[in-house]
Amino acid sequence: LGVCTPSNGLWRCEFGRSLAGMCMYFIQKPVKIKGVTQQRITNFHSAGSMLPQLRHSLTVNALKKGCTHLLFLDSDMKFPADTANRLINADKDIIAANCTTRAFPTEAVAHNLEGRRLSSRGKHGLEKVQHVGMAVMLIKREVFEVLRPPLYLMDWIPDYGAYCGEDVYFCTRAQEAGFDLWVDHDLSHEI
């Protein structure tokens, strides 16, 4: 497992505690991954101001190290110790927590298959989505074996008069290549 954290160079202390707890849990309670004989967790960090470039560098480095799964965790997230295990056990090509926006009033970042915002409030289980943020997202290596750069662009959307985030761009590319995207509503309640 490659844990990929882009940041501006600073981590919130809650993130550091969550990351340490998750790493310990992952080591103490190994996940059964088909075809994997030795389980490791490696943390990758990239700092700077260009988020698409940070995500790209993290992806390249994790894949070079042979990681079978890449877990993107933004440095302002707080999450339970079993986060990696739960996402891996779901056995989806791409699965994420439905985090919220940073600005008030906060809104869920996932959009359902009809393109409307999808709240996880009151929901349980997994749900297929159109796109979701990458703040807490697990991606199998096979996805990157199919997709080629650019994977993380901030594209201009004339109809909205705004840019879409690099995460939406990635989700769109993945879907065009035939991969489904999922949200774990239960985990989302704990992020």
Side-chain angles (χ1 to χ4, degrees), residues 2-137:
V3 178
C4 302
T5 305
S7 80
N8 63 359
L10 301 174
W11 287 4
R12 296 183 64 117
C13 64
E14 295 92 346
F15 172 79
R17 270 185 273 194
S18 295
L19 180 61
M22 186 189 74
C23 290
M24 290 302 298
Y25 188 94
F26 186 80
I27 291 165
Q28 292 172 348
K29 299 184 185 266
V31 180
K32 302 265 190 266
I33 301 172
K34 194 180 204 176
V36 174
T37 56
Q38 182 184 4
Q39 182 172 294
R40 292 185 325 246
I41 186 166
T42 306
N43 289 296
F44 299 91
H45 176 248
S46 190
S49 60
M50 291 184 57
L51 190 53
Q53 181 60 49
L54 299 177
R55 291 206 192 279
H56 175 78
S57 297
L58 291 164
T59 300
V60 168
N61 291 333
L63 294 175
K64 277 184 187 175
K65 286 284 187 186
C67 296
T68 60
H69 296 75
L70 281 66
L71 176 58
F72 281 92
L73 294 172
D74 285 0
S75 62
D76 60 351
M77 294 289 110
K78 183 175 151 184
F79 44 90
D82 64 349
T83 295
N85 293 51
R86 288 162 70 175
L87 292 174
I88 291 170
N89 282 330
D91 196 27
K92 300 296 182 190
D93 292 320
I94 304 168
I95 186 165
N98 189 8
C99 302
T100 60
T101 58
R102 291 183 183 126
F104 288 101
T106 59
E107 296 181 281
V109 296
H111 284 70
N112 65 18
L113 296 177
E114 291 77 41
R116 291 188 301 275
R117 282 204 190 264
L118 173 69
S119 173
S120 289
R121 190 167 289 152
K123 295 189 177 177
H124 299 281
L126 306 180
E127 184 173 346
K128 196 185 296 188
V129 295
Q130 185 179 88
H131 57 81
V132 61
M134 292 182 75
V136 179
M137 178 184 279

Side-chain angles (χ1 to χ4, degrees), residues 147-174:
L147 298 178
R148 295 290 173 255
L151 301 176
Y152 314 107
L153 288 181
M154 297 188 77
D155 224 2
W156 178 254
I157 311 297
D159 292 346
Y160 293 101
Y163 287 94
C164 80
E166 84 293 342
D167 40 14
V168 172
Y169 184 86
F170 172 80
C171 290
T172 302
R173 291 281 317 280

